[in-house]
Amino acid sequence: MDIELTYRRGLLRDIGGVPVTYGKREWLDTTPRALGPWPLEYQRFSSTLSAVGSVGITYRRWSALPLSIGRWSCEHSRFGGTLQRIGPYALRYDHLGNRVRAVGPLEIFYDRGGSRPIRLHLDGEGESLSDDLLLALFLVLFWQKQSWEASARARS
């Protein structure tokens, strides 16, 4: 099954039919506010995601490394803190280690520049992504984008 990711005005708008919505002033605030029916909640005065719907997210103290997502624990590499697993879903990275290429059984394909995920592939035929896999995918893409934006700000 192939799943398309849709963008408009540079923002991710849809993951296989599940809308990603933003605030009324998206030209000022490019932070997603909902994934389908699930509202996204952030820590006060921060862009750190604290919940997706009723699923809470905890982080290591004084860092942006997630410890748990609801009932799932997160695993990180020993050095550098790269996220390696979210619950049952192992992450695979490209050879440079800066782009997630797979979340569990879900392969991620990027545009020619390699900066924007545009298509997903899941073996087998199905109607849509499971809620669990959609949640894990969204979080991985969200945190990856935040990391890339932070790196760009640090270079400038």
Side-chain angles (χ1 to χ4, degrees):
M1 163 174 63
D2 285 336
I3 300 162
E4 300 296 320
L5 283 78
T6 306
Y7 294 83
R8 193 170 63 250
R9 294 183 189 164
L11 300 175
L12 177 62
R13 300 299 182 146
D14 185 273
I15 302 172
V18 177
V20 178
T21 55
Y22 297 81
K24 293 178 182 177
R25 295 181 174 180
E26 66 188 40
W27 62 90
L28 293 174
D29 180 11
T30 59
T31 305
R33 298 296 171 192
L35 173 63
W38 304 321
L40 304 177
E41 296 178 27
Y42 296 87
Q43 291 179 359
R44 192 173 197 183
F45 306 116
S46 172
S47 62
T48 302
L49 193 58
S50 62
V52 177
S54 63
V55 178
I57 302 169
T58 61
Y59 295 89
R60 282 189 185 166
R61 190 174 190 167
W62 309 113
S63 86
L65 295 175
L67 282 177
S68 67
I69 300 161
R71 66 186 188 285
W72 294 337
S73 62
C74 298
E75 294 177 18
H76 304 274
S77 62
R78 197 167 188 172
F79 302 104
T82 303
L83 186 61
Q84 298 294 309
R85 176 177 291 278
I86 295 176
Y89 303 112
L91 307 183
R92 282 195 334 262
Y93 291 84
D94 64 7
H95 63 282
L96 297 175
N98 60 357
R99 284 187 306 181
V100 177
R101 298 302 299 208
V103 176
L106 189 62
E107 287 183 84
I108 303 170
F109 297 89
Y110 291 81
D111 63 5
R112 287 190 161 214
S115 63
R116 184 162 51 179
I118 57 171
R119 186 173 55 85
L120 311 169
H121 178 76
L122 184 61
D123 284 338
E125 293 300 317
E127 298 296 317
S128 62
L129 290 173
S130 70
D131 286 349
D132 284 351
L133 192 52
L134 175 65
L135 174 61
L137 171 71
F138 174 78
L139 291 172
V140 165
L141 296 179
F142 177 81
W143 288 324
Q144 177 173 263
K145 183 178 181 220
Q146 280 190 327
S147 175
W148 289 350
E149 289 172 350
S151 292
R153 281 192 301 272
R155 284 191 304 267
S156 57

